[in-house]
Amino acid sequence: MTETAQSFLAQIHPYDSLPDGVLGEIADRVEWVAMAAGDPIYQHGAPLHGLYIIFSGQVSVRDAHGKEVSQLQRQNSFGERGLLQDGKAATSASATEDSQLICLPRDLFHKLRAEHEPFHRFFDRSRSGDAAEALRAFDLTSVRVETLMVPSPLTCPPTMTVQAAAQLMRDRHISCLCVVENDALIGILTIRDLSGKALADGLAHDTPVSMVMTANPRVLPPSAIGSDVLHMMMEYRLGHLPVVSAGRLVGIVTQTDLTRFQASNTAGFVAEAARAETAEALAEVTKRIPNLLVQLVAAGNRHDVVTRLITDIADVVTRRLLHLAEAEFGPPPARYVWLACGSQGRQEQTGVSDQDNCLILEDGLDAEALAYFGPFAQFVSDGLDACGYIYCPGDMMATNPRWCQPVSVWRDYFAGWIKSPSKEAQMLASVMFDLRPIGGDASLFEGLQMETLEAAAANSIFTAHMASNALTHATPLGLLKGLATIRSGERRNTIDLKLNGVVPLVDLGRMYALQGKLDVVNTRARLEAAMAADVVSKSGGRDLLDAYDLVAQTRLNHQADLIKQGRAPDNFLPPARLSAFERSHLRDAFVVIKTMQSALMQGRGVLG
């Protein structure tokens, strides 16, 4: 096989957190298992030989009553529930197509659980129900698009005739062709285009596909996750999504029953929000988000998966409000892009979120055109508030004229902050480095983003001030590395898991992105990109990722617990509610964060 077991497993969590030597030992001991379509892998109640990981193909998992609970594919694992109980299969599994599996022997599985905390933590999170194992293993929120996509999809030039295209699609048993010119994707041709445009309009057989294709189709990068595919399909009523990397077509994902099944919970929210006709109807959708958070956490999803899904809903709500605003005030007189900053910008929204946003407009607008966007922004902001995304206490919103400006003004803003990094400039730059386009014309921001990153990274005085600003949020560690709680007021005897837990990590991630001129915004993605770019050492980065996962997961679990009690979620956790084991690990996480802050202060950006 061209791809080794070690290189394959190194791409999958939690194996990616194991030392290279351990990963090599695993690769030496795993067994390759070839299964033909229809072959049973194991039956419910049978002894399990080990944990199975899918290298290629597809596997169906059924519960004790024979009901299919999931279909799994590459990188998904199954069998752990039985291994964690009595060593007997809790489900039945069979190959639905020719498949290659990797079997991790039972004794090695338990050895890894006993000796490696990330492995133990990943597989020992509490589950509920016979189908839970399969649902987690094949959850679109943990599958990257590059895993779901069909690589190197069939393409055609724009000059191909519709008849030739139809014949090619028939002969290859496919439902679409990607239209490529000079190695660039310019359109997509689907069966719907052929029937609804070429055939229905009686076009000649030699009509070029460029006349009936969907030009400039929506695309996703390989780094997107499976739920991004489903949510975009639900919002825009798409059946096919090309995957593009660095301007090149690398794959395509089509809508299937499988993808609908995988993200059915959040897809329902997205579909309802995308069809809502009023802000009140949107509020009916968003008021159910707290219960969704509880369900997602209870299902064992990681914090970054939960926050990504919750942010997806906020994004759709925002875009729907932009659409409703255009219907209310008429077509916009100029191009604009609505951007989110803060937790929505970073795709890290939890159960407690205000709104942070701004508008970038195209240059050259007259006073009348500029005046359109005042009530427009107010309509959207009011709608977000009605949906539970409360007004920003610091007025960091597009309703503030300061944050609703042409692109040239924004360019001056960033240049001024970088040139003269006052306290306010540092604060504003920190917020604005987390900007992410939500609706409108994203091209207004793209050039500005990279231009600003390069200018900021090149200014050592600015980066020094930003580094200093990143250290203003201290971790809640006492003198003897115990947990230091708030001493007075209504939050007495609690720790603020946002201000003193997550925010220091967000600050570090932002600084690493600035140092490496990395254009990713999500904190976890920034930490991973910083490791890949050698901005931070591999050992330091892995420790910081583990610390981030623990703090963020603890925060999310705390919010879910409050919601289950019928209380409003917050960020203030009484450490006394944690076990001694949990407190110890939380202290260790804060020690890692503090150490990395010290490294940043010393200009090293590394650990140990």
Side-chain angles (χ1 to χ4, degrees), residues 321-334:
L321 286 168
L322 291 170
H323 173 81
L324 294 175
E326 290 184 11
E328 176 76 14
F329 300 107

Side-chain angles (χ1 to χ4, degrees), residues 294-343:
V294 171
Q295 293 168 9
L296 291 171
V297 171
N301 290 289
R302 280 187 1 178
H303 69 93
D304 51 320
V305 170
V306 177
T307 54
R308 177 70 168 266
L309 293 174
I310 290 175
T311 306
D312 280 353
I313 297 169
D315 289 354
V316 177
V317 167
T318 304
R319 283 191 287 271
R320 190 58 183 165
L321 286 168
L322 291 170
H323 173 81
L324 294 175
E326 290 184 11
E328 176 76 14
F329 300 107
R335 293 183 301 137
Y336 72 87
V337 57
W338 182 282
L339 304 105
C341 43
S343 60

Side-chain angles (χ1 to χ4, degrees), residues 474-478 482-501 570-575:
T475 55
L477 287 172
L483 292 176
T485 60
I486 298 171
R487 293 301 183 189
S488 60
E490 62 176 328
R491 303 301 185 185
R492 185 172 178 267
N493 295 328
T494 68
I495 54 176
D496 188 337
L497 287 174
K498 177 183 178 181
L499 190 63
N500 302 117
D570 62 34
N571 297 299
F572 299 95
L573 171 71

Side-chain angles (χ1 to χ4, degrees), residues 314-315 317-319 321-323 325-326 335-341 344 355-361 373-385 396-400 403-404 410 435-445:
D315 289 354
V317 167
T318 304
R319 283 191 287 271
L321 286 168
L322 291 170
H323 173 81
E326 290 184 11
R335 293 183 301 137
Y336 72 87
V337 57
W338 182 282
L339 304 105
C341 43
Q344 185 182 2
Q355 57 175 290
D356 300 281
N357 46 60
C358 64
L359 269 171
I360 297 179
L361 315 176
F373 290 99
F376 176 90
Q378 192 66 56
F379 180 97
V380 177
S381 186
D382 288 347
L384 289 171
D385 181 72
M396 186 67 67
M397 297 184 296
T399 52
N400 184 336
W403 312 128
C404 179
W410 280 100
L435 286 174
R436 182 172 61 89
I438 303 299
D441 189 343
S443 66
L444 290 170
F445 176 67

Side-chain angles (χ1 to χ4, degrees), residues 58-344:
Q58 187 166 282
V59 170
S60 172
V61 175
R62 296 180 179 273
D63 64 18
H65 306 290
K67 179 182 178 182
E68 184 176 69
V69 294
S70 191
Q71 290 192 31
L72 317 182
Q73 55 186 349
R74 180 177 164 87
Q75 293 192 352
N76 299 146
S77 59
F78 56 99
E80 66 260 40
R81 185 172 180 82
L83 292 174
L84 291 171
Q85 293 177 344
D86 56 4
K88 295 182 179 180
T91 55
S92 297
S94 59
T96 54
E97 60 184 52
D98 292 349
S99 304
Q100 282 282 346
L101 311 177
I102 292 176
C103 182
L104 182 70
R106 180 168 50 190
D107 64 317
L108 182 55
F109 173 81
H110 289 300
K111 181 174 182 285
L112 292 170
R113 284 181 55 237
E115 297 179 0
H116 299 281
E117 176 59 26
F119 199 90
H120 172 87
R121 188 167 61 243
F122 182 81
F123 284 109
D124 282 52
R125 288 174 298 184
S126 72
R127 312 295 302 168
S128 60
D130 291 340
E133 166 200 332
L135 290 173
R136 180 196 57 73
F138 190 55
D139 187 347
L140 278 182
T141 59
S142 62
V143 178
R144 289 166 68 101
V145 164
E146 62 188 359
T147 301
L148 293 173
M149 73 183 188
V150 175
S152 304
L154 205 60
T155 63
C156 71
T159 54
M160 178 178 277
T161 67
V162 293
Q163 183 179 38
Q167 291 170 341
L168 181 59
M169 292 164 69
R170 178 200 63 194
D171 294 341
R172 295 295 186 91
H173 304 288
I174 56 177
S175 58
C176 72
L177 286 171
C178 293
V179 185
V180 174
E181 186 174 42
N182 297 325
D183 293 327
L185 177 72
I186 64 169
I188 186 170
L189 180 75
T190 68
I191 290 177
R192 182 186 297 177
D193 293 324
L194 291 174
S195 62
K197 299 176 183 177
L199 183 61
D201 293 341
L203 299 182
H205 291 169
D206 60 354
T207 300
V209 299
S210 59
M211 298 295 292
V212 298
M213 71 181 186
T214 299
N216 302 314
R218 297 184 183 277
V219 300
L220 282 173
S223 59
I225 59 176
S227 61
D228 293 336
V229 176
L230 187 60
H231 290 176
M232 188 173 284
M233 287 179 172
M234 294 294 290
E235 183 177 2
Y236 297 108
R237 302 185 185 186
L238 304 176
H240 309 79
L241 268 175
V243 182
V244 174
S245 177
R248 291 180 54 253
L249 175 72
V250 295
I252 192 163
V253 183
T254 60
Q255 189 177 45
T256 65
D257 292 336
L258 182 62
T259 53
R260 285 194 185 99
F261 168 78
Q262 280 310 113
S264 59
N265 285 340
T266 51
F269 280 75
V270 168
E272 286 185 57
R275 308 292 180 264
E277 294 297 330
T278 64
E280 291 74 20
L282 284 168
E284 287 298 311
V285 176
T286 57
K287 74 178 184 181
R288 306 199 309 269
I289 288 178
N291 287 335
L292 173 66
L293 184 148
V294 171
Q295 293 168 9
L296 291 171
V297 171
N301 290 289
R302 280 187 1 178
H303 69 93
D304 51 320
V305 170
V306 177
T307 54
R308 177 70 168 266
L309 293 174
I310 290 175
T311 306
D312 280 353
I313 297 169
D315 289 354
V316 177
V317 167
T318 304
R319 283 191 287 271
R320 190 58 183 165
L321 286 168
L322 291 170
H323 173 81
L324 294 175
E326 290 184 11
E328 176 76 14
F329 300 107
R335 293 183 301 137
Y336 72 87
V337 57
W338 182 282
L339 304 105
C341 43
S343 60
Q344 185 182 2

Side-chain angles (χ1 to χ4, degrees), residues 508-564:
L508 285 170
R510 187 184 298 113
M511 273 306 304
Y512 296 149
L514 179 57
Q515 291 173 339
K517 291 184 283 189
L518 309 172
D519 60 1
V520 289
V521 177
N522 175 266
T523 298
R524 205 174 198 284
R526 280 172 166 170
L527 297 177
E528 291 174 338
M531 289 170 60
D534 292 326
V535 175
V536 63
S537 72
K538 295 294 188 294
S539 60
R542 283 194 293 265
D543 284 346
L544 203 53
L545 277 171
D546 282 345
Y548 179 49
D549 287 342
L550 181 61
V551 173
Q553 193 70 51
T554 301
R555 177 194 183 200
L556 209 58
N557 292 344
H558 167 66
Q559 292 189 4
D561 287 342
L562 291 176
I563 294 169
K564 285 188 289 186

Side-chain angles (χ1 to χ4, degrees), residues 454-470:
E454 291 179 351
N459 189 317
S460 58
I461 295 176
F462 175 78
T463 55
H465 279 282
M466 284 290 289
S468 176
N469 186 61

